[in-house]
Amino acid sequence: MKILDVQSISRSFGNVKAVDNVSFSVSAGEICGFIGPNGAGKTTTMRICSTLELPDSGDVLVSGSSVLDDPRGVTRKIGFMPDAYASEQNTPVRDYLDFHARAQGLRGAERDKAMRSVIDFTGLDPLLDKEILALSKGMRQRAGLAVTLLHDPSLLILDEPAAGLDPRARVELRELLTVLAEMGKAVLISSHILTELSEICDVVAVIEAGTIRASGRVSDIQKKLSPDALYYMRCLAEGEALQRFLLEQPGVDKVRAEGHGCVFGLAGGEEALADLLGRAVNQDLRPMEVRPLAVDLEEVFLSLTDGVVQ
Amino acid sequence: MTLPDWIDDRFNPILVKEVRQALRGRYFKVTYGLTLIAATLVGIVCLMASDSNQDIGQTYFVGIYMCMAAAMMGLVPFQAFVAASGSGRGGRAELLQLTALRPRQIVAGRLLSSLVQSGLVLAALAPFLALSFLLPGVDLTVLVFVVVYTLIFSACVSCVTLSASFLTENRLLRVLLMVILGGFQFSLVSSAVAGVSEILRNSQDLQDIEAQVALAVFAGVAIFIATFAFIGGTLRISHPEENRSTPLRVLMFCFALVGMIGTYLAMHFVPHPEAEGFVVAYLALGFAMLLPAGIFSGEPERLGRRVQVTAPKNALVGLLVTPFMPGGGNGALFNLMILGTFGSIMMLFPTVDPDAGDAWVELFVFSFLWGVTAFNLPSALLQRWSKHMPVRVLSAFSPGLFFAATAMVPTFFGLMAGDRDWGDFEHPFCFPWAFERLTRDSYSNKEAIWAVALLMFVVTVLVNMPRMLRGLKEVQRVSRLRRENEARAKAEKAQEVSAA
Ligand SMILES: Nc1ncnc2c1ncn2[C@@H]1O[C@H](COP(=O)(O)OP(=O)(O)OP(=O)(O)O)[C@@H](O)[C@H]1O
Ligand SMILES: [Mg+2]
């Protein structure tokens, strides 16, 4: 079920086309990585999805509500966490959450319940009496996440939530998001640090200079980019022989030595791989290890974008 | 659920947060403490300095009032300005847009929080006020009147500072705003103190109808400005595509109506020579109040998508409300309408004052011509660039600038050409001079004055005609579009039903 449906939105600021005919969608239970270099239009797209900015053309549907025609209906269903959280002075975490719960129209026992559940979920219990401004970056991020979860939105839009977090905090954030996805929420999360997305995202949308360069499952994108799958192969025979052998084979390209073995691309799927292995055995190369290489987001990203800065 | 819980739930969330924050913050504690200390010190000094026993209460009260006014009209509203920062992109106000809170609730919550703080200051000063009442020289009615009046003004000033805070996030401009607001508050507090000591000395003056009317008008103007600021602030933090113009236009229109009825009643019930004073005051006030109307005629013309859905579906109703819809052309229409409404009271003058009535009508028509020109001519010329914020600010101030320019520029040329009269601001392009000449029966060259006013008016109408027509057409188009959409939706539904 599509929760977020972005339908060819465009938005310009003066001469800058910040977002140019962008379409993609995120389903329930899915974590979508929104990747692009600085100034690509990630924040603008996310702000349009959260009704904070209006598209010049196109529309965004959140569970069927349009950001243009029913912005209030949309804001009820989303939790948006901006890249920089505005600070509140003289406010302990408890009051901060209490205020946002009130602002979301939660009353009495309902409010207590909502607060209890987000506090338990984000583990803010020991910090409730600390002032927001005194929190560390990771903890403040948690408080921000707690606020966005208060009204139990079905779509979470997080703008660079992992920026500036240490590896440990990043792992914790990832775990939280995975749990949220398992609960059936759709999550859109932006970043230009790719490795932090590669392990949690089911799908990605790569944006550059306002246009979507690719979207879908990471492996699908990879396949579309280069139809060859990448493999690593190691033999008892010396590396050079293996390399020579691979270069002679049909359907093989991008051969390069790595460690004691070789990395190569191969078209034709598993059938072709089995044939190749058979020939390697016949030629007495004595193959010991063959494994498909995991798709590297970094590589996908670099091959998709060409460093245009706007 | 217990009663306190139920009440707690009804509170404006912003109010709860702001009061909590303010009570925890240093600013309020310092304000509170300083006010108490100052009140104690001032009280002691006043008691010692006062030599006559008769009005010792008065001196003491003025001293206490100084502290009270400084806190309630100075420090507390200033706190509202400081606390309301963060309305820009990614700011706190914007994030509140994503909650269930409406912009109106946000501004109201902040305003209420200021009122609560004022109330706390008042409560702290209550013993001092009670003491001043026990001393000889202070009347209870005067005391209550002063406190209530100050509370009203405190709320009004908070409204203004609060909304001013939403105007800009630019550091430099904010500092500038702070200086302007600070100066304004300082002069307000000092004149309030001066006014209170005056009232105390001549407390029987309060029985005077003239003084009462003056005080009521003064409070009325303050409330109007505060309401304007409140709505303006609300619109400022609402979505940019939302209709940000209509509420202010409605407010202006209502004000014009109230002013009109008020003046008419004054003319009927107040003895003849004094009524004229009211009329002149009303005219002056009217022009001053109309100044923000320059904002309307400077707006960009396109009706945003969220505005379009608010256009009436009925074509005739659409025509009637066109002046209230956003957009420069509609703004020009609005100004025509409001100047007409506002001034049409003058048409009633002959019935009230048969001797001078015709002269009033003449003056009204003359002011009307000039008013329309000032409000619509510069903004029409600037319309094309109205997308840009600085141009719109310029547009908003253009009526005032227009009066200044039409007086100055010919004067400058008069000086260059060595023309004594023109060089002395005595030429038909100078509105105050021309207006004053028209009131003189003896002045012979009235034709030139009328010619200039008429010529400018005709040019204004010609220049504005296209955009006013565009505005009318646009509203009609949107209204038709809504009718068609509705018809289509109905047809689709009918089809679905029959298919089922
Ligand atoms: N309010 C605005 N006014 C003018 N230009 C803007 C505005 N918002 C965004 N832009 C421009 O639109 C482009 C896209 O900006 P956006 O913030 O969406 O990029 P981003 O992908 O979020 O970048 P980053 O990784 O740096 O956060 C940029 O060129 C930016 O300068
Ligand atoms: Mg960004």
Side-chain angles (χ1 to χ4, degrees), chain B residues 329 333 464-474:
Chain B
L333 277 175
N464 274 284
M465 201 49 90
R467 66 170 181 161
M468 291 199 292
L469 287 179
R470 272 202 304 273
L472 284 166
K473 265 193 212 146
E474 171 79 355

Side-chain angles (χ1 to χ4, degrees), chain A residues 13 16 18 36-45 53 83 159-160 192 310, chain B residues 89:
Chain A
F13 298 101
V16 180
N38 290 134
K42 304 182 294 292
T43 300
T44 308
T45 307
E53 200 99 53
D83 45 0
D159 197 0
E160 313 222 5
H192 51 263
Q310 43 170 359
Chain B
R89 185 181 180 208

Side-chain angles (χ1 to χ4, degrees), chain A residues 97 117-125 139 142-143 145-146 149 176:
Chain A
L97 290 176
S117 90
V118 299
I119 289 169
D120 288 344
F121 180 72
T122 50
L124 280 172
D125 232 336
M139 285 304 136
R142 274 175 181 241
L145 187 64
L149 289 173
L176 290 182

Side-chain angles (χ1 to χ4, degrees), chain A residues 47 52 82 84-89 99-100, chain B residues 14 17-18 21 79-98 106 110 161-171 174 177-178 233 236-238:
Chain A
R47 282 168 59 85
L52 291 175
Y85 235 90
S87 52
E88 291 280 0
Q89 290 191 326
F99 164 64
H100 278 275
Chain B
I14 301 274
K17 183 195 88 168
E18 286 298 313
Q21 259 177 341
Q79 203 270 340
F81 178 86
V82 175
S85 69
S87 58
R89 185 181 180 208
R92 287 175 296 172
E94 197 187 60
L95 289 182
L96 292 181
Q97 211 174 299
L98 295 177
I106 296 170
R110 292 187 167 280
T161 54
L162 191 57
S163 300
S165 185
F166 293 142
L167 280 181
T168 175
E169 279 299 299
N170 181 308
R171 278 271 174 81
R174 281 186 77 85
L177 263 180
M178 266 193 206
R236 176 80 193 155
I237 58 171
S238 62

